[in-house]
Amino acid sequence: MTDTATADLKARHRALWALGDYPDVAASVIPDLGQALVDACRIGPGDRVLDVAAGSGNASVPAALAGADVVASDLTPELLDAGRARAERDGVRLTWEVADAEALPYADASYDVVMSCVGVMFAPDPRVAAGELLRVARPGARIGLLSWTPEGFIGRMLATMRPYAPPPPPGAQPPPLWGDEGHVRDLLGDGVVDLVATRRHVTVDGFATPEAFRDYFKARYGPTIAVYRGLDDDRAASLDDALCGLARDADEGGGVMRWEYLLVTAHRA
């Protein structure tokens, strides 16, 4: 890919996550995921922590509240602005920096914990992003990744939208592959030891009907908004039906859904 093409891809990626209101998704729909990752990484006072593709800080803020020295990095400034405001409301201090997960502006071996909560999984080049996670982690550092699985609800939602979206850039892989243990082991390779992968679920019960789920994600989730912008009325109606069907199938009763994710922890070799 040429430098111009790469710059264009990054600009589109940055703009995609600025669409809608992802901070509300993180805070209202999946508020507990960040704390789950912080707990799994055993973050505490004195830890130097880098949260990669941190978004609005759903893991960064809990890490800072645990006493760590935290840098929250993300490609999209608007998400960091929302996170900064949240941190101020919570009375916690951390550093917010614009940074590309595929070209982190940090020194080698400089962090005790490197983590990402449903963030780095969306980087266009997973091998480059994984290499950066390893590069900035000191030997023995804890690495924590929380990613949607291909088989889980969000993985199936992204697969449902894929036929309606423009073709991905050359070499791009579906983001939920980060939720496949074998894929993550391959990405991290011999750069880690003691890798443990556990499938878990987050309970989502804020949508009374399939239509409520669909309309919320159409209005607030960047990837969904971007797909709809390229559709004519007939294709949009078709995707409407598909997303409602997905939510209807996942409803375990009373609007309760369980969304599966993979939690990976490891130590830098």
Side-chain angles (χ1 to χ4, degrees):
M1 188 177 293
T2 66
D3 290 346
T4 300
T6 298
D8 179 66
L9 174 61
K10 297 296 182 180
R12 286 188 282 115
H13 197 70
R14 183 183 300 113
L16 181 149
W17 289 103
L19 293 172
D21 189 356
Y22 184 75
D24 187 71
V25 177
S28 301
V29 182
I30 51 172
D32 299 329
L33 287 192
Q35 187 66 57
L37 182 58
V38 168
D39 292 344
C41 292
R42 306 187 312 281
I43 292 172
D47 283 332
R48 296 195 68 238
V49 177
L50 176 64
D51 189 1
V52 178
S56 53
N58 58 335
S60 305
V61 171
L65 287 169
D69 179 8
V70 181
V71 174
S73 66
D74 198 276
L75 190 64
T76 303
E78 291 87 344
L79 298 183
L80 297 179
D81 290 343
R84 191 178 291 109
R86 174 193 171 186
E88 290 176 359
R89 290 194 301 271
D90 289 346
V92 62
R93 297 185 65 180
L94 59 155
T95 301
W96 303 88
E97 295 182 346
V98 176
D100 182 354
E102 296 177 1
L104 294 171
Y106 308 113
D108 296 357
S110 53
Y111 289 95
D112 303 312
V113 180
V114 179
M115 65 178 182
S116 187
C117 183
V118 294
V120 74
M121 65 179 287
F122 291 98
D125 192 325
R127 292 204 174 275
V128 171
E132 285 292 273
L133 297 176
L134 295 173
R135 181 184 64 78
V136 300
R138 65 164 178 79
R142 285 152 279 161
I143 294 175
L145 303 170
L146 192 155
S147 308
W148 301 119
T149 66
E151 303 86 1
F153 182 82
I154 295 296
R156 288 184 286 125
M157 185 186 80
L158 294 173
T160 297
M161 295 193 301
R162 195 172 302 130
Y164 298 87
Q173 296 179 329
L177 283 179
W178 283 83
D180 177 85
E181 179 180 347
H183 184 71
V184 176
R185 286 186 180 276
D186 179 58
L187 288 176
L188 299 179
D190 59 9
V192 299
V193 295
D194 306 324
L195 188 150
V196 177
T198 308
R199 287 177 180 254
R200 297 185 180 181
H201 295 85
V202 58
T203 299
V204 175
D205 58 5
F207 304 111
T209 65
E211 291 77 16
F213 157 78
R214 178 201 64 204
D215 293 344
Y216 179 91
F217 269 71
K218 283 178 68 172
R220 290 176 174 83
Y221 190 58
T224 310
I225 296 169
V227 169
Y228 270 99
R229 284 187 172 182
L231 302 181
D232 61 27
D233 290 346
D234 288 343
R235 295 276 284 164
S238 176
L239 182 53
D240 278 349
D241 291 343
L243 290 177
C244 282
L246 179 71
R248 190 173 296 109
D249 290 345
D251 190 342
E252 297 183 358
V256 175
M257 296 184 279
R258 295 197 307 156
W259 296 1
E260 186 183 62
Y261 61 89
L262 184 74
L263 180 61
V264 172
T265 58
H267 289 92
R268 181 68 168 98

